[in-house]
Amino acid sequence: MSRSAKLPLFVKASILLMGMFVFIAMLYIGQELILPVIYATIIAILISPMVNFLVKKRVNRMIAVLMVSVLVLIVVAAIVYLVARQISHLQGTWPQLKEKFEVLLEQGILWVSSFSKMTPLEIRAWITDTQTEILDVSSNMIGNTITTVGGLIAAIFLTPVYIVMILFYQPHLREFIRQLFGASHEVGEVLSETKSIIQSYLVGLFFEFLIVAILNSVGLLIIGLPYAVLLGIIGAVLNVIPYLGAMTGATMFMVVALVTKPPIYVFYVFLLYYINQLIDNNFIVPKIVGSKVKLNALFSLFAVIVGATLWGIPGMFLSIPLVAILKLVLDRIEPLKPWGFLLGDSTPPLIRIKASTKAVNVPK
């Protein structure tokens, strides 16, 4: 009998918990190094098929990597420029929006006062106190953010470098994994299949983002809501976060409609967002993203909370893709399949709500 098997259960549990604590602490302490690497790895997996296509056409690998990387940077720069123009326009009209919001707030105070025992003066005093507390918290958050600006700037410049290096050394990294786990046919098959599924998953996720952004923007333009393109893109980004993202996006759309348009437009915006969610849930996700990777609501929300606790907002966006990729790997390693089953959702949903736990069709 092995020595580890003789250890009491509480000792094994203590060692496991201590290892998890050390691992999580390393993730938190090293986030400035880890986050750019994770983003670069995901983007590299996403665009590696284009690099492999050029290499098959007898293009030098480094040239192929640089060509694809420059193309991606141009696309990202175009999106950033588009969003920046919308934000600039929003800043120009901010005084009018603030004035309209103050008018609506005063109307709301009078309405609440008419249905409660509080006087308008007491309600205003409560709002002032709440604003003071929020500003205090915000000041602390801003102070913490300023201390990490240097790391953020470094990450912005390092991520493209990581992407180029990962793409260039892809064959080398693949050979390292093969030597690490042995040259068995089973290991190679699992690695190849997992890589193909991750690529399909990420490509599907990317195209879902584009389609949702277009649906949001076009719908808001038809309604006549200002900043339609900016809101459409932000809504598509939030759509990546399960459950919380959809509610946040809908609330944001309706608040903008309330401030800039007559109250009936709040209903128009809600109806638009509801229709877009139906399209996303019933057509975009099944047809483009697939149905093989499916995380249950419990672990989806838990992953988002853990991601936000560890890495803030970037962690919220990374949590679901990372857990989905983890499930893909667990499902293809025989001893770890129960853990993949634990993360998954084998029961039919009571309500059809998209949770960004996207899925992909397994390549034949």
Side-chain angles (χ1 to χ4, degrees):
M1 184 177 293
S2 64
R3 194 170 182 177
S4 60
K6 296 180 180 178
L7 293 175
L9 180 61
F10 74 91
V11 174
K12 295 180 181 179
S14 301
I15 295 174
L16 177 62
L17 291 174
M18 187 178 300
M20 291 178 62
F21 175 79
V22 172
F23 178 70
I24 293 173
M26 291 173 61
L27 291 179
Y28 178 76
I29 295 172
Q31 58 182 298
E32 293 183 3
L33 172 66
I34 295 172
L35 281 176
V37 173
I38 293 177
Y39 274 114
T41 302
I42 291 177
I43 296 172
I45 292 174
L46 183 63
I47 64 179
S48 63
M50 292 186 285
V51 175
N52 295 335
F53 173 79
L54 292 176
V55 171
K56 289 180 181 178
K57 296 297 181 181
R58 300 184 182 278
V59 178
N60 180 273
R61 185 167 190 86
M62 178 54 77
I63 295 176
V65 169
L66 292 176
M67 288 173 60
V68 174
S69 300
V70 169
L71 177 62
V72 171
L73 286 176
I74 291 174
V75 173
V76 172
I79 296 174
V80 171
Y81 174 74
L82 180 64
V83 173
R85 286 196 59 182
Q86 293 285 309
I87 293 176
S88 176
H89 180 62
L90 175 62
Q91 289 176 341
T93 58
W94 179 251
Q96 293 87 343
L97 293 177
K98 183 179 179 182
E99 182 180 350
K100 179 68 179 296
F101 181 77
E102 289 175 351
V103 171
L104 290 173
L105 180 61
E106 185 62 26
Q107 293 175 352
I109 289 174
L110 295 176
W111 182 80
V112 172
S113 177
S114 65
F115 286 93
S116 66
K117 297 181 179 180
M118 296 179 67
T119 64
L121 185 61
E122 292 173 335
I123 296 175
R124 293 189 192 97
W126 177 81
I127 292 176
T128 301
D129 293 339
T130 304
Q131 287 177 337
T132 302
E133 294 176 3
I134 293 175
L135 287 175
D136 291 339
V137 174
S138 300
S139 299
N140 295 331
M141 292 177 63
I142 291 172
N144 294 332
T145 301
I146 291 175
T147 60
T148 61
V149 166
L152 178 62
I153 294 175
I156 292 174
F157 285 100
L158 282 176
T159 300
V161 176
Y162 287 146
I163 293 172
V164 172
M165 292 296 99
I166 291 172
L167 289 172
F168 180 72
Y169 286 106
Q170 181 182 356
H172 187 76
L173 296 173
R174 189 188 303 118
E175 177 62 21
F176 163 73
I177 295 175
R178 189 191 68 80
Q179 292 186 16
L180 183 65
F181 293 99
S184 66
H185 175 71
E186 181 180 355
V187 172
E189 184 178 344
V190 170
L191 290 175
S192 177
E193 183 181 2
T194 303
K195 177 189 171 185
S196 298
I197 293 175
I198 291 173
Q199 286 176 345
S200 300
Y201 168 77
L202 294 175
V203 169
L205 203 62
F206 175 72
F207 278 106
E208 192 216 5
F209 162 77
L210 288 181
I211 295 173
V212 171
I214 293 172
L215 287 175
N216 288 341
S217 301
V218 171
L220 294 175
L221 284 171
I222 293 174
I223 291 175
L225 203 67
Y227 329 114
V229 177
L230 175 63
L231 292 175
I233 294 175
I234 294 176
V237 172
L238 291 173
N239 199 49
V240 176
I241 303 175
Y243 307 108
L244 300 177
M247 291 187 292
T248 304
T251 303
M252 178 185 62
F253 287 5
M254 290 188 290
V255 168
V256 174
L258 181 64
V259 173
T260 59
K261 293 288 184 180
I264 187 63
Y265 279 79
V266 175
F267 172 74
Y268 295 157
V269 168
F270 174 79
L271 184 62
L272 167 69
Y273 201 84
Y274 179 73
I275 293 173
N276 286 350
Q277 285 296 302
L278 287 179
I279 295 173
D280 185 33
N281 295 342
N282 296 286
F283 296 98
I284 299 176
V285 173
K287 299 296 182 182
I288 295 180
V289 185
S291 59
K292 293 296 180 182
V293 178
K294 192 177 180 183
L295 305 181
N296 60 60
L298 173 63
F299 283 97
S300 295
L301 290 175
F302 182 71
V304 171
I305 294 171
V306 171
T309 303
L310 282 176
W311 298 329
I313 294 177
M316 293 179 67
F317 288 101
L318 281 176
S319 58
I320 295 302
L322 288 180
V323 174
I325 292 171
L326 175 63
K327 176 173 167 35
L328 288 172
V329 176
L330 295 176
D331 285 342
R332 276 144 192 86
I333 300 177
E334 192 64 36
L336 301 179
K337 280 187 176 181
W339 295 101
F341 175 80
L342 178 65
L343 295 178
D345 185 8
S346 59
T347 59
L350 296 177
I351 301 176
R352 192 92 186 214
I353 302 177
K354 189 204 66 64
S356 283
T357 53
K358 316 304 183 209
V360 291
N361 295 317
V362 178
K364 300 282 184 178

